[in-house]
Amino acid sequence: MLAENPGARLVAGGTDLVVAARSGKAPLPERLIAIHRLMELGGIEPTTEGGLRIGALITHGELEGSATIKQSWSALSDASALVGSPATRHLGTVGGNVCNASPAMELGSPLLVFEASVELASAGGARRVPFGSFVTGPGRTSGLPGELMTAVVLPPLQPGGGTGSAYVRLEYRQAMEIAIVGAAAMISLDEAGRCLGARVALTAVAPTCVRASEAEEILFNNAIDDALLQRAAQAGARSASPIDDVRASAGYRRAMVPVMVRRALARALERARSPHSN
Amino acid sequence: MRYRLALEVNEIAYEAEVEPHRTLLSVLRGELGLTGTKEGCDDSECGACIVLVDGRPVNSCSFLALQAAGRPVQTVEGLAKRGELHPLQAAFLEQGGVQCGFCTPGMLMSAKALLDQNPHPTQAEVKRGLGGNLCRCTGYAGIVRAVMRAAGDG
């Protein structure tokens, strides 16, 4: 249907599409294809490699309610619980959040730290694209006309336990809010407490969610203490290129990046150290 | 172009002919005459238009009516049964949960969705459950108290 109707947009929950049309940001297209009843796009299932496949129609509410995600991919659970209100979480989907590609999308930084892939299907076949290269700018993706996002795929976590992750955001209010600055972190520790791997990503401080590689390098292969966390948090700011908008100035956003990175790292570390107390 | 839409609202079957861009709110109010559900911001911010679809809350101002086909819809008109107020409605009256009343239908439906899933919420859970509903009279204390009371915990 997508191939036969150029210019048609897909609608699942409509929480972005219909609202954007109302506010005059983007009128509804000539043709809409409703996909909310495609059962094949639901489901949260383990992959044979030990990761997780999350169907594009899985809602934020379903993500939030998944015990597996809460236990092992906590940052994604944190992020889905922060989206909008109960009504938004009931309708808004993973596919919609990813394909709308907002720089402030809650799921973006968690998907970056988990190095997730996006699964796309078209009449011509299927392909997988790393999430980091799928979203190319505000509202832009590398998805082609005629392609439908079918799932996100999370690779397995570092073996050996000791992995924790978290997503935090700076907000003016707790409900119906959009991140002013957000940060996700994932930390894997060996038995001696040394950092086997650290990943950090930032939300709403660049045209897309971005990895903060300098922060990651500072943590990697080191024993983590407060001073090191602080250095990593400061380094995180160097990956940010924020703008002024209605929600905050660029300067405020830049100043808040280290604060949010530090909070995300601290929570991820706590979870890595006691993986069953999420 | 208009499409035939079969809706089930408060366990009553309705038929309408609607354009694809029509929202559930405008069909409920304009076609079915169910004006209990209110239009506030018309932008998914205020929650005055919240109804239940599949038992879960939805901002009906931003929900395409055609996507409600075949899914049970519940509105404030369906709460009272045989002339008896729903326990939530009775508690709102008793606890002063209604001031101007404009947010009340949405508040009631959000509260119903919450209590259907979680019959004995904590106060924090009630506040989170009503997170998508604004009361411009700022009468939140009475509203939260009413939901706790309806749950038998206030």
Side-chain angles (χ1 to χ4, degrees):
Chain A
M1 275 177 91
L2 269 177
E4 288 161 13
N5 293 281
R9 291 278 308 269
L10 299 168
V11 57
T15 56
D16 277 322
L17 186 80
V18 182
V19 174
R22 192 73 37 70
S23 64
K25 214 162 88 182
L28 281 179
E30 198 63 17
R31 284 162 197 268
L32 282 172
I33 301 175
I35 57 171
H36 64 281
R37 284 199 295 215
L38 296 180
M39 299 303 284
E40 307 89 311
L41 301 188
I44 299 177
E45 277 151 24
T47 62
T48 47
E49 303 89 57
L52 203 64
R53 182 181 182 279
I54 303 171
L57 282 185
I58 288 295
T59 64
H60 299 294
E62 288 167 330
L63 274 187
E64 184 190 357
S66 158
T68 310
I69 292 177
K70 190 172 172 140
Q71 180 61 44
S72 301
W73 286 278
S74 319
L76 209 51
S77 189
D78 294 343
S80 54
L82 287 171
V83 173
S85 70
T88 330
R89 293 193 288 275
H90 165 49
L91 288 178
T93 61
V94 172
N97 198 248
V98 167
C99 292
N100 279 305
S102 160
M105 60 184 288
E106 304 299 354
L107 304 186
S109 284
L111 293 177
L112 282 177
V113 298
F114 295 133
E115 299 192 335
S117 303
V118 175
E119 202 182 271
L120 302 161
S122 67
R127 64 181 180 126
R128 266 191 201 184
V129 187
F131 171 75
S133 59
F134 180 66
V135 175
T136 53
R140 288 199 306 274
T141 70
S142 60
L144 301 171
E147 271 185 327
L148 167 71
M149 175 180 156
T150 48
V152 291
V153 181
L154 305 177
L157 298 172
Q158 187 112 21
T163 293
S165 67
Y167 174 73
V168 294
R169 81 176 177 197
L170 182 66
E171 55 196 9
Y172 294 127
R173 55 175 179 164
Q174 289 170 4
M176 292 311 288
E177 179 62 308
I178 295 172
I180 300 158
V181 174
M186 181 175 90
I187 296 179
S188 299
L189 301 174
D190 68 10
E191 277 160 22
R194 180 181 297 270
C195 175
L196 288 174
R199 296 188 201 140
V200 179
L202 310 175
T203 303
V205 291
T208 65
C209 293
V210 288
R211 285 278 286 272
S213 47
E214 276 191 61
E216 296 176 357
E217 282 155 22
I218 286 172
L219 298 167
F220 180 66
N221 221 8
N222 281 311
I224 298 176
D225 60 17
D226 275 354
L228 195 71
L229 277 190
Q230 192 57 35
R231 267 183 55 214
Q234 292 296 341
R238 291 195 281 278
S239 301
S241 51
I243 56 166
D244 292 315
D245 70 10
V246 291
R247 282 191 289 278
S249 67
Y252 179 59
R253 283 200 165 95
R254 190 172 288 108
M256 289 304 106
V257 170
V259 178
M260 301 318 289
V261 170
R262 200 190 148 84
R263 286 182 194 170
L265 283 169
R267 192 166 297 170
L269 193 60
E270 199 180 299
R271 287 170 172 169
R273 284 175 178 156
S274 52
H276 297 292
S277 64
N278 287 333
Chain B
M1 184 162 159
R2 290 171 158 235
Y3 293 82
R4 241 172 82 197
L5 170 63
L7 276 178
E8 186 206 307
V9 186
N10 304 325
E11 298 175 356
I12 299 169
Y14 293 89
E15 290 237 335
E17 297 236 327
V18 304
E19 296 90 349
H21 68 267
R22 284 287 290 281
T23 64
L24 180 58
L25 176 67
S26 89
V27 171
L28 287 171
R29 291 179 57 89
E31 306 290 327
L32 311 187
L34 295 172
T35 54
T37 306
K38 303 303 178 203
E39 178 181 316
C41 66
D42 203 20
D43 197 22
S44 278
E45 289 286 338
C46 77
C49 68
I50 283 183
V51 302
L52 308 190
V53 175
D54 295 331
R56 306 294 305 142
V58 157
N59 285 299
S60 64
C61 74
S62 306
F63 187 82
L64 296 174
L66 290 174
Q67 289 191 290
R71 304 161 83 176
V73 177
Q74 292 168 270
T75 70
V76 70
E77 286 92 346
L79 287 182
K81 299 273 189 239
R82 291 175 295 278
E84 286 273 320
L85 290 181
H86 186 278
L88 272 166
Q89 292 172 306
F92 267 61
L93 283 180
E94 182 198 299
Q95 296 296 320
V98 179
Q99 291 187 36
C100 85
F102 197 83
C103 73
T104 310
M107 288 284 182
L108 286 168
M109 298 318 287
S110 282
K112 180 176 191 313
L114 172 70
L115 296 189
D116 286 350
Q117 263 210 333
N118 179 2
H120 298 288
T122 63
Q123 201 182 81
E125 287 167 340
V126 170
K127 289 181 178 174
R128 189 169 147 76
L130 301 178
N133 295 78
L134 297 179
C135 167
R136 64 186 177 180
C137 310
T138 72
Y140 295 104
I143 293 168
V144 171
R145 219 165 42 228
V147 179
M148 297 296 287
R149 172 59 62 93
D153 298 322

